[in-house]
Coordinates of all heavy atoms in Angstrom, one line a residue:
M1098 N 11.9 -7.4 -18.6 CA 10.7 -6.5 -18.4 C 11.0 -5.4 -17.5 O 10.6 -4.2 -17.7 CB 9.5 -7.3 -17.9 CG 8.3 -6.5 -17.6 SD 6.9 -7.4 -17.2 CE 5.9 -6.1 -16.7
D1099 N 11.8 -5.6 -16.4 CA 12.1 -4.5 -15.5 C 12.8 -3.4 -16.2 O 12.5 -2.2 -15.9 CB 13.1 -5.1 -14.4 CG 12.4 -5.0 -13.0 OD1 11.3 -4.5 -12.9 OD2 13.1 -5.4 -12.1
I1100 N 13.7 -3.7 -17.1 CA 14.5 -2.6 -17.8 C 13.6 -1.8 -18.7 O 13.6 -0.6 -18.7 CB 15.7 -3.3 -18.6 CG1 16.7 -3.9 -17.7 CG2 16.3 -2.2 -19.5 CD1 17.7 -4.7 -18.3
L1101 N 12.7 -2.5 -19.4 CA 11.8 -1.8 -20.3 C 10.8 -0.9 -19.5 O 10.7 0.3 -19.8 CB 11.0 -2.8 -21.2 CG 10.0 -2.2 -22.1 CD1 10.7 -1.3 -23.1 CD2 9.2 -3.2 -22.8
S1102 N 10.2 -1.4 -18.5 CA 9.3 -0.6 -17.7 C 10.0 0.6 -17.0 O 9.5 1.7 -17.0 CB 8.5 -1.4 -16.7 OG 9.4 -1.9 -15.7
K1103 N 11.2 0.4 -16.6 CA 11.9 1.5 -15.9 C 12.3 2.5 -16.9 O 12.1 3.7 -16.7 CB 13.2 1.0 -15.2 CG 13.9 2.1 -14.5 CD 14.9 1.6 -13.5 CE 15.4 2.7 -12.7 NZ 15.9 2.4 -11.4
K1104 N 12.7 2.1 -18.1 CA 13.0 3.1 -19.2 C 11.8 3.9 -19.6 O 11.9 5.1 -19.8 CB 13.6 2.3 -20.4 CG 14.0 3.2 -21.5 CD 14.4 2.3 -22.7 CE 15.9 2.4 -22.9 NZ 16.3 1.7 -24.1
E1105 N 10.7 3.3 -19.7 CA 9.5 4.0 -20.2 C 8.7 4.7 -19.1 O 8.1 5.7 -19.3 CB 8.5 3.0 -20.9 CG 9.2 2.4 -22.1 CD 8.2 1.7 -23.0 OE1 7.0 1.8 -22.8 OE2 8.7 1.2 -24.0
T1106 N 8.7 4.2 -17.8 CA 8.0 4.8 -16.8 C 8.8 5.5 -15.7 O 8.2 6.2 -14.9 CB 7.1 3.7 -16.1 OG1 7.9 2.8 -15.4 CG2 6.2 3.0 -17.1
G1107 N 10.1 5.2 -15.7 CA 10.9 5.7 -14.6 C 10.8 5.0 -13.3 O 11.3 5.4 -12.3
N1108 N 10.1 3.8 -13.4 CA 9.8 3.0 -12.2 C 10.0 1.6 -12.6 O 9.8 1.2 -13.7 CB 8.4 3.2 -11.7 CG 8.2 2.9 -10.3 OD1 9.0 2.4 -9.6 ND2 7.0 3.2 -9.8
T1109 N 10.5 0.8 -11.6 CA 10.6 -0.7 -11.9 C 9.2 -1.3 -11.9 O 8.3 -0.7 -11.4 CB 11.5 -1.3 -10.8 OG1 10.8 -1.2 -9.5 CG2 12.9 -0.7 -10.7
A1110 N 9.2 -2.6 -12.3 CA 7.9 -3.3 -12.3 C 7.4 -3.5 -10.8 O 6.3 -3.3 -10.5 CB 8.1 -4.7 -12.9
L1111 N 8.4 -3.7 -9.9 CA 8.0 -3.9 -8.5 C 7.5 -2.6 -8.0 O 6.5 -2.5 -7.3 CB 9.2 -4.3 -7.7 CG 9.0 -4.5 -6.2 CD1 7.9 -5.5 -5.9 CD2 10.3 -4.8 -5.5
G1112 N 8.1 -1.5 -8.3 CA 7.7 -0.2 -7.9 C 6.3 0.2 -8.4 O 5.5 0.7 -7.7
Y1113 N 6.0 -0.2 -9.6 CA 4.7 0.0 -10.2 C 3.7 -0.8 -9.5 O 2.6 -0.2 -9.1 CB 4.8 -0.3 -11.7 CG 3.4 -0.2 -12.4 CD1 2.9 1.0 -12.8 CD2 2.6 -1.4 -12.6 CE1 1.6 1.1 -13.4 CE2 1.4 -1.3 -13.2 CZ 0.9 0.0 -13.6 OH -0.3 0.0 -14.1
L1114 N 3.9 -2.0 -9.3 CA 3.0 -2.9 -8.5 C 2.7 -2.4 -7.1 O 1.6 -2.3 -6.7 CB 3.4 -4.3 -8.5 CG 3.4 -5.0 -9.9 CD1 4.1 -6.4 -9.7 CD2 2.0 -5.1 -10.4
Q1115 N 3.8 -1.9 -6.5 CA 3.6 -1.4 -5.1 C 2.8 -0.1 -5.1 O 2.0 0.1 -4.2 CB 5.0 -1.2 -4.5 CG 5.7 -2.4 -4.1 CD 7.1 -2.2 -3.6 OE1 7.7 -1.1 -3.8 NE2 7.6 -3.1 -2.8
S1116 N 3.0 0.7 -6.1 CA 2.2 1.9 -6.2 C 0.7 1.6 -6.4 O -0.2 2.2 -5.8 CB 2.6 2.7 -7.4 OG 3.7 3.6 -7.1
K1117 N 0.4 0.6 -7.2 CA -1.0 0.2 -7.5 C -1.6 -0.4 -6.2 O -2.7 -0.1 -5.8 CB -1.1 -0.8 -8.6 CG -0.8 -0.1 -10.0 CD -1.8 1.0 -10.3 CE -1.5 1.7 -11.5 NZ -2.4 2.9 -11.7
L1118 N -0.8 -1.1 -5.5 CA -1.2 -1.7 -4.2 C -1.5 -0.7 -3.2 O -2.6 -0.7 -2.5 CB -0.1 -2.7 -3.7 CG -0.4 -3.6 -2.5 CD1 -1.4 -4.7 -3.0 CD2 0.8 -4.2 -2.0
I1119 N -0.7 0.3 -3.1 CA -0.9 1.4 -2.1 C -2.2 2.2 -2.5 O -3.0 2.7 -1.7 CB 0.3 2.3 -2.0 CG1 1.5 1.5 -1.4 CG2 0.0 3.6 -1.2 CD1 1.2 0.9 0.0
D1120 N -2.4 2.4 -3.8 CA -3.6 3.1 -4.3 C -4.8 2.4 -3.9 O -5.8 3.0 -3.4 CB -3.6 3.3 -5.8 CG -2.6 4.3 -6.3 OD1 -2.1 5.1 -5.5 OD2 -2.3 4.3 -7.6
E1121 N -4.8 1.1 -4.0 CA -5.9 0.2 -3.6 C -6.1 0.3 -2.0 O -7.2 0.4 -1.5 CB -5.7 -1.2 -4.0 CG -6.8 -2.1 -3.7 CD -8.1 -1.9 -4.4 OE1 -8.1 -1.2 -5.5 OE2 -9.2 -2.3 -4.0
A1122 N -5.0 0.3 -1.3 CA -5.0 0.4 0.1 C -5.7 1.7 0.6 O -6.5 1.7 1.5 CB -3.6 0.2 0.7
K1123 N -5.3 2.8 -0.1 CA -5.9 4.1 0.3 C -7.4 4.1 0.2 O -8.1 4.7 1.0 CB -5.3 5.2 -0.6 CG -3.8 5.5 -0.3 CD -3.3 6.6 -1.3 CE -1.9 7.0 -1.0 NZ -1.4 8.0 -1.9
L1124 N -7.9 3.4 -0.8 CA -9.4 3.3 -1.0 C -10.0 2.5 0.1 O -11.0 2.8 0.7 CB -9.7 2.7 -2.4 CG -9.3 3.6 -3.6 CD1 -9.6 2.8 -4.8 CD2 -10.1 4.9 -3.6
K1125 N -9.4 1.4 0.4 CA -9.9 0.5 1.4 C -9.8 1.1 2.8 O -10.7 0.7 3.7 CB -9.1 -0.9 1.4 CG -9.4 -1.7 0.2 CD -8.7 -3.0 0.2 CE -9.0 -3.9 -1.0 NZ -10.3 -4.5 -0.9
I1126 N -8.9 1.9 3.1 CA -8.7 2.5 4.4 C -9.9 3.3 4.8 O -10.2 3.5 6.0 CB -7.4 3.3 4.5 CG1 -6.2 2.3 4.6 CG2 -7.3 4.2 5.7 CD1 -4.8 2.9 4.5
F1127 N -10.6 3.9 3.8 CA -11.8 4.7 4.1 C -12.9 3.9 4.7 O -13.8 4.4 5.3 CB -12.3 5.4 2.9 CG -11.4 6.5 2.4 CD1 -10.9 6.4 1.1 CD2 -11.1 7.5 3.2 CE1 -10.1 7.4 0.6 CE2 -10.2 8.5 2.7 CZ -9.8 8.5 1.4
D1128 N -12.9 2.5 4.5 CA -13.9 1.7 5.1 C -13.6 1.4 6.6 O -12.8 0.5 6.9 CB -14.0 0.3 4.3 CG -15.1 -0.6 4.8 OD1 -15.7 -0.3 5.8 OD2 -15.3 -1.6 4.2
H1129 N -14.2 2.2 7.5 CA -13.9 2.1 8.9 C -14.4 0.8 9.5 O -14.0 0.5 10.7 CB -14.4 3.3 9.6 CG -13.6 4.5 9.3 ND1 -12.5 4.9 10.0 CD2 -13.8 5.5 8.3 CE1 -12.1 6.1 9.5 NE2 -12.8 6.4 8.5
S1130 N -15.2 0.0 8.8 CA -15.6 -1.3 9.4 C -14.5 -2.3 9.3 O -14.6 -3.4 9.9 CB -16.9 -1.7 8.6 OG -16.6 -2.1 7.3
K1131 N -13.5 -2.0 8.5 CA -12.3 -3.0 8.4 C -11.1 -2.5 9.2 O -10.8 -1.3 9.1 CB -11.9 -3.2 6.9 CG -13.0 -3.8 6.1 CD -12.5 -3.9 4.7 CE -13.6 -4.6 3.8 NZ -13.2 -4.6 2.4
S1132 N -10.5 -3.4 9.8 CA -9.2 -3.0 10.5 C -8.1 -2.9 9.5 O -8.2 -3.4 8.4 CB -8.9 -4.0 11.6 OG -8.5 -5.2 11.0
I1133 N -7.0 -2.3 9.9 CA -5.8 -2.2 9.1 C -5.3 -3.6 8.8 O -4.9 -3.9 7.7 CB -4.7 -1.3 9.7 CG1 -5.3 0.1 9.9 CG2 -3.5 -1.3 8.9 CD1 -5.7 0.8 8.7
N1134 N -5.4 -4.5 9.8 CA -5.0 -5.9 9.7 C -5.9 -6.6 8.6 O -5.4 -7.3 7.8 CB -5.1 -6.6 11.0 CG -4.4 -7.9 11.0 OD1 -3.3 -8.0 10.5 ND2 -5.1 -8.9 11.5
D1135 N -7.2 -6.3 8.6 CA -8.1 -6.9 7.6 C -7.7 -6.4 6.2 O -7.6 -7.2 5.2 CB -9.5 -6.5 7.8 CG -10.1 -7.1 9.1 OD1 -9.6 -8.2 9.5 OD2 -11.1 -6.6 9.6
I1136 N -7.4 -5.2 6.1 CA -7.0 -4.6 4.8 C -5.7 -5.2 4.3 O -5.5 -5.6 3.1 CB -6.9 -3.0 4.9 CG1 -8.3 -2.5 5.1 CG2 -6.3 -2.4 3.6 CD1 -8.3 -1.0 5.5
A1137 N -4.7 -5.3 5.2 CA -3.4 -5.9 4.8 C -3.6 -7.3 4.3 O -3.1 -7.7 3.3 CB -2.5 -5.9 6.1
S1138 N -4.5 -8.1 5.0 CA -4.7 -9.4 4.6 C -5.4 -9.5 3.3 O -5.0 -10.3 2.4 CB -5.6 -10.1 5.7 OG -5.9 -11.4 5.4
E1139 N -6.4 -8.6 3.0 CA -7.1 -8.6 1.7 C -6.1 -8.3 0.6 O -6.3 -8.8 -0.5 CB -8.2 -7.5 1.7 CG -9.4 -7.9 2.5 CD -10.4 -6.8 2.5 OE1 -10.3 -5.9 1.7 OE2 -11.4 -6.9 3.3
L1140 N -5.1 -7.5 0.9 CA -4.1 -7.1 -0.1 C -3.0 -8.1 -0.3 O -2.1 -7.9 -1.1 CB -3.6 -5.7 0.2 CG -4.6 -4.6 0.1 CD1 -4.0 -3.3 0.6 CD2 -5.1 -4.5 -1.4
G1141 N -3.1 -9.2 0.5 CA -2.1 -10.3 0.3 C -0.9 -10.3 1.2 O 0.0 -11.1 1.1
F1142 N -1.0 -9.5 2.3 CA 0.1 -9.4 3.2 C -0.1 -10.4 4.3 O -1.2 -10.5 4.9 CB 0.3 -8.0 3.8 CG 0.8 -7.0 2.9 CD1 0.0 -6.3 2.0 CD2 2.2 -6.7 2.9 CE1 0.5 -5.4 1.2 CE2 2.7 -5.8 2.0 CZ 1.8 -5.1 1.1
K1143 N 0.9 -11.2 4.6 CA 0.8 -12.2 5.7 C 0.9 -11.5 7.0 O 0.2 -11.9 8.0 CB 1.9 -13.2 5.6 CG 1.8 -14.4 6.5 CD 2.9 -15.4 6.2 CE 2.8 -16.6 7.2 NZ 3.8 -17.6 6.9
Y1144 N 1.7 -10.4 7.1 CA 1.8 -9.7 8.4 C 1.5 -8.2 8.2 O 1.9 -7.6 7.2 CB 3.3 -9.8 8.8 CG 3.7 -11.2 9.1 CD1 4.6 -11.8 8.2 CD2 3.3 -11.9 10.1 CE1 5.0 -13.1 8.4 CE2 3.7 -13.3 10.3 CZ 4.5 -13.8 9.5 OH 4.9 -15.1 9.6
Q1145 N 0.6 -7.7 9.1 CA 0.2 -6.3 9.0 C 1.4 -5.4 9.1 O 1.4 -4.3 8.4 CB -0.8 -6.1 10.1 CG -1.4 -4.7 10.1 CD -0.9 -3.8 11.1 OE1 -0.7 -4.2 12.3 NE2 -0.6 -2.5 10.8
Q1146 N 2.4 -5.7 9.8 CA 3.6 -4.9 9.9 C 4.3 -4.6 8.6 O 4.7 -3.5 8.3 CB 4.6 -5.5 10.9 CG 4.1 -5.6 12.3 CD 3.4 -6.9 12.6 OE1 2.9 -7.6 11.7 NE2 3.3 -7.3 13.9
H1147 N 4.3 -5.6 7.7 CA 4.9 -5.5 6.4 C 4.1 -4.5 5.6 O 4.7 -3.7 4.9 CB 5.0 -6.8 5.7 CG 6.0 -7.7 6.4 ND1 6.1 -9.1 6.1 CD2 6.9 -7.5 7.3 CE1 7.0 -9.7 6.8 NE2 7.5 -8.7 7.6
F1148 N 2.8 -4.6 5.7 CA 1.9 -3.7 4.9 C 2.1 -2.3 5.5 O 2.3 -1.3 4.7 CB 0.4 -4.1 5.1 CG -0.5 -3.0 4.7 CD1 -0.7 -2.7 3.4 CD2 -1.3 -2.4 5.7 CE1 -1.6 -1.7 3.0 CE2 -2.2 -1.4 5.3 CZ -2.3 -1.0 4.0
S1149 N 2.1 -2.1 6.8 CA 2.3 -0.8 7.4 C 3.6 -0.1 7.0 O 3.7 1.1 6.7 CB 2.1 -0.8 8.9 OG 0.8 -1.2 9.2
R1150 N 4.7 -0.9 7.0 CA 6.0 -0.4 6.6 C 6.0 0.0 5.1 O 6.5 1.1 4.9 CB 7.0 -1.5 6.8 CG 8.5 -1.0 6.6 CD 9.5 -2.1 6.8 NE 9.3 -2.8 8.1 CZ 9.3 -4.2 8.2 NH1 9.4 -4.9 7.1 NH2 9.1 -4.8 9.3
L1151 N 5.4 -0.8 4.2 CA 5.4 -0.4 2.8 C 4.5 0.9 2.7 O 4.9 1.8 1.9 CB 4.9 -1.5 2.0 CG 4.7 -1.2 0.5 CD1 6.1 -0.9 -0.2 CD2 4.0 -2.3 -0.3
F1152 N 3.4 0.9 3.3 CA 2.5 2.1 3.2 C 3.2 3.3 3.7 O 3.2 4.4 3.0 CB 1.2 1.8 4.1 CG 0.2 2.8 3.8 CD1 -0.8 2.6 2.9 CD2 0.1 4.1 4.5 CE1 -1.8 3.5 2.6 CE2 -0.9 5.0 4.2 CZ -1.9 4.7 3.3
K1153 N 3.9 3.3 4.8 CA 4.6 4.5 5.3 C 5.8 4.8 4.4 O 6.0 6.0 4.1 CB 5.1 4.2 6.7 CG 5.8 5.5 7.3 CD 6.1 5.4 8.7 CE 6.6 6.7 9.2 NZ 6.9 6.7 10.6
Q1154 N 6.5 3.8 3.8 CA 7.6 4.1 2.9 C 7.1 4.8 1.7 O 7.7 5.8 1.2 CB 8.2 2.8 2.5 CG 9.4 2.9 1.5 CD 9.9 1.5 1.1 OE1 9.1 0.5 1.1 NE2 11.1 1.5 0.7
K1155 N 5.9 4.5 1.2 CA 5.4 5.0 -0.1 C 4.6 6.4 0.1 O 4.5 7.2 -0.8 CB 4.4 4.0 -0.8 CG 5.1 2.8 -1.3 CD 6.2 3.1 -2.3 CE 6.8 1.9 -2.9 NZ 7.8 2.2 -3.9
T1156 N 4.0 6.5 1.3 CA 3.2 7.7 1.6 C 3.8 8.7 2.6 O 3.3 9.9 2.6 CB 1.8 7.3 2.1 OG1 1.9 6.7 3.3 CG2 1.1 6.4 1.1
G1157 N 4.7 8.2 3.4 CA 5.2 9.1 4.4 C 4.5 9.1 5.8 O 4.9 9.7 6.7
I1158 N 3.3 8.4 5.8 CA 2.5 8.3 7.0 C 2.0 6.8 7.2 O 2.0 6.1 6.2 CB 1.3 9.3 7.1 CG1 0.4 9.0 5.9 CG2 1.8 10.7 7.1 CD1 -0.9 9.9 6.0
T1159 N 1.7 6.5 8.4 CA 1.2 5.1 8.6 C -0.3 5.0 8.1 O -1.0 6.0 8.0 CB 1.2 4.8 10.1 OG1 0.2 5.7 10.8 CG2 2.6 5.0 10.7
P1160 N -0.7 3.8 7.9 CA -2.1 3.6 7.5 C -3.1 4.2 8.5 O -4.1 4.8 8.1 CB -2.3 2.1 7.4 CG -0.9 1.6 7.2 CD 0.0 2.5 7.9
N1161 N -2.9 4.1 9.8 CA -3.7 4.6 10.8 C -3.8 6.2 10.7 O -4.8 6.8 10.9 CB -3.3 4.2 12.2 CG -3.9 2.8 12.6 OD1 -5.0 2.5 12.2 ND2 -3.1 2.1 13.3
D1162 N -2.6 6.8 10.6 CA -2.6 8.2 10.4 C -3.3 8.7 9.2 O -4.0 9.7 9.2 CB -1.1 8.7 10.4 CG -0.4 8.6 11.7 OD1 -1.1 8.5 12.7 OD2 0.8 8.7 11.7
Y1163 N -3.2 7.9 8.1 CA -3.9 8.2 6.8 C -5.4 8.2 7.1 O -6.1 9.0 6.6 CB -3.4 7.3 5.7 CG -4.0 7.6 4.4 CD1 -3.4 8.6 3.6 CD2 -5.2 7.0 3.9 CE1 -4.0 9.0 2.4 CE2 -5.7 7.3 2.7 CZ -5.1 8.3 1.9 OH -5.6 8.6 0.7
R1164 N -5.8 7.1 7.8 CA -7.2 7.0 8.0 C -7.7 8.1 8.9 O -8.8 8.7 8.6 CB -7.5 5.7 8.8 CG -8.9 5.4 9.2 CD -9.1 4.1 9.8 NE -9.5 3.1 8.8 CZ -9.6 1.8 9.0 NH1 -9.5 1.4 10.2 NH2 -10.0 1.1 8.1
N1165 N -7.0 8.6 9.8 CA -7.4 9.7 10.7 C -7.4 11.1 10.0 O -8.1 12.0 10.4 CB -6.5 9.8 11.9 CG -6.7 8.6 12.8 OD1 -7.8 8.0 12.9 ND2 -5.7 8.2 13.6
L1166 N -6.6 11.2 8.9 CA -6.6 12.4 8.1 C -7.8 12.6 7.3 O -8.2 13.7 6.9 CB -5.4 12.5 7.2 CG -4.0 12.7 7.9 CD1 -2.9 12.6 6.8 CD2 -4.0 14.1 8.6
N1167 N -8.4 11.5 6.9 CA -9.5 11.5 6.0 C -10.9 11.1 6.6 O -11.0 10.4 7.4 CB -9.2 10.6 4.8 CG -8.0 11.1 4.0 OD1 -8.0 12.2 3.5 ND2 -7.0 10.3 4.0

């Protein structure tokens, strides 16, 4: 499956899933009643640091910085 999806989309299956996860995170970050830790937990991350690292890797900024921009 990885080879087919990469060939057709230019992205691996993992990359595609991570992109969708970050898209969902971006929406949830607008809810200021939830902490970044709450959002990370809702998205299935055991540790908030892992979520923050992936978010920064995919967007170039931390979840807190993203929240403050919007």
Side-chain angles (χ1 to χ4, degrees):
M1098 179 172 167
D1099 243 0
I1100 294 170
L1101 180 62
S1102 68
K1103 184 166 184 151
K1104 183 185 246 184
E1105 295 196 6
T1106 66
N1108 203 353
T1109 63
L1111 178 60
Y1113 175 80
L1114 292 173
Q1115 287 175 338
S1116 272
K1117 291 298 176 187
L1118 191 69
I1119 295 304
D1120 288 345
E1121 183 67 22
K1123 286 177 178 179
L1124 295 175
K1125 290 180 178 284
I1126 285 173
F1127 290 123
D1128 183 354
H1129 289 271
S1130 70
K1131 294 180 182 176
S1132 70
I1133 300 299
N1134 194 44
D1135 291 339
I1136 294 167
S1138 181
E1139 284 179 16
L1140 294 173
F1142 288 85
K1143 187 174 181 179
Y1144 301 107
Q1145 184 255 319
Q1146 296 89 340
H1147 293 166
F1148 166 70
S1149 293
R1150 186 179 312 129
L1151 177 65
F1152 192 93
K1153 185 170 183 178
Q1154 179 185 27
K1155 296 295 182 182
T1156 66
I1158 59 175
T1159 66
N1161 279 322
D1162 289 343
Y1163 185 83
R1164 177 176 267 176
N1165 292 333
L1166 287 176
N1167 297 297

